[in-house]
Structures are given as C-alpha cells and as structure tokens.
Amino acid sequence: MKKVSGAFYGIIWLFFFWGFVAASNDILIPLFKDKLQLEQWQSQIISFVFYIAYTVGALLYFTISKFIKKDLLLHIGYSKGLVVGLLVSLCGILFFIPAANTGSFSALIIGLFIIGLGFSLQQTAANPLVILSGDPDFGSQRLSLAGGINNVGTTIGPFLIAMAVFGTTSNTQTAQLEYLKYPYLILGLAFALAALLIFIFSKKLNTGTQQNSAQEESSSLNILYVIKKQRVWMGMLAIFTYVGVEVSSVSNLSEFAMQKANISTQHIAPFISLYWASLMIGRWASSADIFSEIKWKQILLKIILPIIALLLFVSILFISNKELINLKFYLPFVVLLIILDLLSKGSAARQVMIYSIVGIITILLGIMSEDVFSVYCITATGLFCSTLWPCIFELSIKGLKKDTGTASGLLIMMIMGGGWISVLQGYLSKFPTIGISGSYAVGIICFIYLALFGLKNRNTTNIS
C-alpha cells in the first residue's frame, strides 16, 4: 500500500485555514486586552470561546448521529461534512465586520465561536481521513505532514493580522482596529472556494478514503461503550492536556514577554509566529520518513526539513519587515529537536514521552530565567508540542474500525482544553504570589500527564 493516497492531497490544505485562525487569536488577545482594558483572564475568553466551540460542535455531531441512528459523516460522506463545516465557518467570518468597525468584543467572540463550530466538523472528518489515506503504519506521519501545512498558516497568520492593525513598520504604536476585517474577509473567500472545490471533487475524495477505511455503519452509536476503551479515554485526556498546554503557552506569551523582557504588544507578533513555526519545524522533521524508503535519506531529511522550515520563518520575518532579536538563543532548541526526533526511532508513544519531558524542562527554564532568553524558552515549547497531536490521535484510534468516527469526535471534543487551561492560567496569573511566570506551572502539569500517557502506550504502535 502507498504511504500517501490521492485523497490525502485533497484535504491537507484545509489544515492551513485552521492554523491561520488559531494563531491569529494570539494577536487578538493582547489587542482587545489593551483596547478594552481587560484583565489577563478576561482576554483569554477569546481562546475559551473558540476552543469550547469544538466541544459544542462534537456534541451536536453525536446528537444528530444518535437521532438518525447512523454516524453522520459515514451517512452523508466525508466530503459533504467538510463542505458544511467550511460554510459554517464562513458565516462566522462575517461577524468580523462589526467586530472591526465598532470594536465589538461580543461580535468577535460570536464570530470565533461559529468559526470553531465549523472547524469542529471539518476536523472530525479530516483527521481520521488523513490517518486512513495510505499505509496505516505511516498514519501519524501523514498527520504530522498535514500539521506542517497547518503551521504554515499559524506562522503567517500573526504577521498578517499584526500588519493589518499596526501597519507595515515596527514604529507604528496605535492599532487600527477597523482594518482587522480585511484579512479575515480574504480568508472567508478562501473558505468558499475550498467548499466549492471539495464539492466538485467529492466523489474522488470519498472513494479514495472509504476504500482504505474499512469502516462500517455502527448499529448503535454507543458513546459510553467507546469511552470505556482505555486508549480512548486516556487519549481524550491527552488531547485535552496537549491542546491546553499548546494554546495556553502562546496565548499568555504576550503578557509573559511584556513582564519578563518588556516586549510590547505591537512587537510580540514575531515571537508568536515563531512559536507556531516551531510546530511546523517539528512536524516537518517527523514527516521525513514519508518521502523516502532509504534509511540514510530519511535521516538526512530529518535534518534538512526542519532547517528549511526555520528558513521559511526567517524569510517571512524579512518580507514582513519585522525584527526578532537574539534569534541565536532559539537555535540550540532546534538542534535538540532533531536529535530527539532521531532518538524516538519512529515510535509514536516514545516521541510523546520524550517530547513531554523536554517540554517540562523548557517551561522550567523560561520560569527561572530572565529577559528575552526566557521568552525564547517558552517559545521553544512549541517545538516539543509539535508532533503530540498526530501521535496521540494515532495511539487513540488504532484498531477501532467502526468506532473510529465516534472516537474521533470524542477526541475533537477535547480540543476544549485549549480554552479551559488558557483561562485557568490567565486567572492564576492575577495572584501576586503566582504571577505570569508561576502560572506556567499549569503547562508543566499537562506535560506530566502526557509523559505518563506515552509511557503507558509505549508498546501499542509504531509510526513506522
């Protein structure tokens, strides 16, 4: 069986959309915090609303499936599910017009909530499709490659939003909120075009994936039965904590950078972009095995691809006329990532365990150090979050067959961890004895569970 089927290339570019919006939220948080004089935990409502929408979307998916007594996506087809999800997200984009024109926080969070609802359905369909679109032994690597596309969006998004509201020069001090709507309206047009193309090529997409999936209609969508499976409930908690530490680390980064290194809101975009680029760097390294059967070439690609990803970020930085001081502090972390990726030897469980342990260390370094180096330490956490999603997803749904769709929906539902943990961290930071630095202990707790999850599943499966 081929490592990658044609259906895979038909859906990976959707990952770009998800990344663009998710990363752009990290610019909206400090922007609206400054404009509306919000407390740190209040500004985290932006993350909370966006990620809680995934839970609501998953619950709607289960409710509808229960009502029609069939798995919704298996009934209507994966491609139609993707189209519906894109159109729902398009409706959410329209709320950015009043949000930008009037500075309406309510319009912003309503829009983000609706976008998140659409993304929930899209991801419920797309993630298992990626894993099933080719040789099952390379499922998590295909998801890493798709995640690499996602992180092109996360890398570009903060720059474009910052350029829209602050202008093209680093000297601009005042945010022009009314210009916020333009990049999102362009994204809305992309949603519409994507929905049209998927609809046109829906037959090929469904055929290419359903032949590989070998899934059956479930006679009774017994969610409790699926949740009781150890790999599912442990995977759900792993997704909750993983998305939690990934999102909370960056959504609180602006406040952390301001207090630790006196980096203002208008200058935070490069650091936020680098955080999300870190996930791209790690995922490109992990996906190297897909491109060659020869071992020495795979090793070479594991070195070359993350370097190319880093150079892509630097190129975007240069084109956008932004500065990132002392980038040399970040480079040793990239070298460490490459070494750890090679040491993981293709094991999804081993990679989760190793990366989580190193994630704990990077956060501790960030808490204990000062100035811009501390900011780079927190930023480097993204490197070691990079492949946790595909590894957790593969370990959680492997061998479930007809229950794959239900399990996927349950996992997507736990993306809400990004909202809950971000708000929790923001709330804890208000206490003087904890502060923004101490609040990052929440991320350490998340990584501890993830390391235990990897240890528990170390004999379950391999990436290759």
Side-chain angles (χ1 to χ4, degrees), residues 5 38 47 89 96 109 114 185 226 246 264 268 318 320 329-330 364 378 387 398 412:
S5 72
L38 303 174
S47 283
S89 295
F96 276 76
I109 61 176
I114 296 173
L185 288 176
V226 177
E246 177 192 278
S264 60
I268 193 60
F318 177 78
S320 61
F329 290 152
Y330 177 80
L364 286 173
I378 299 299
T387 61
K398 187 176 178 65
I412 296 300

Side-chain angles (χ1 to χ4, degrees), residues 3 138 288-302 342 464:
K3 291 183 180 180
F138 292 87
D289 290 350
I290 292 177
F291 300 106
S292 178
E293 300 282 354
I294 303 171
K295 194 66 177 178
W296 70 266
K297 288 186 178 180
Q298 292 174 351
I299 294 174
L300 185 62
L301 286 171
K302 284 181 179 293
L342 292 170
S464 59

Side-chain angles (χ1 to χ4, degrees), residues 2 44 49 51 71 85 114 153 167 174 200 206 211 231-232 244 316 375 459:
K2 293 182 178 180
Q44 296 301 316
V49 167
Y51 288 102
D71 186 298
I114 296 173
T174 304
I200 292 173
N206 282 333
Q211 287 178 344
R231 67 174 55 195
V232 175
I316 295 171
V375 182
N459 296 321

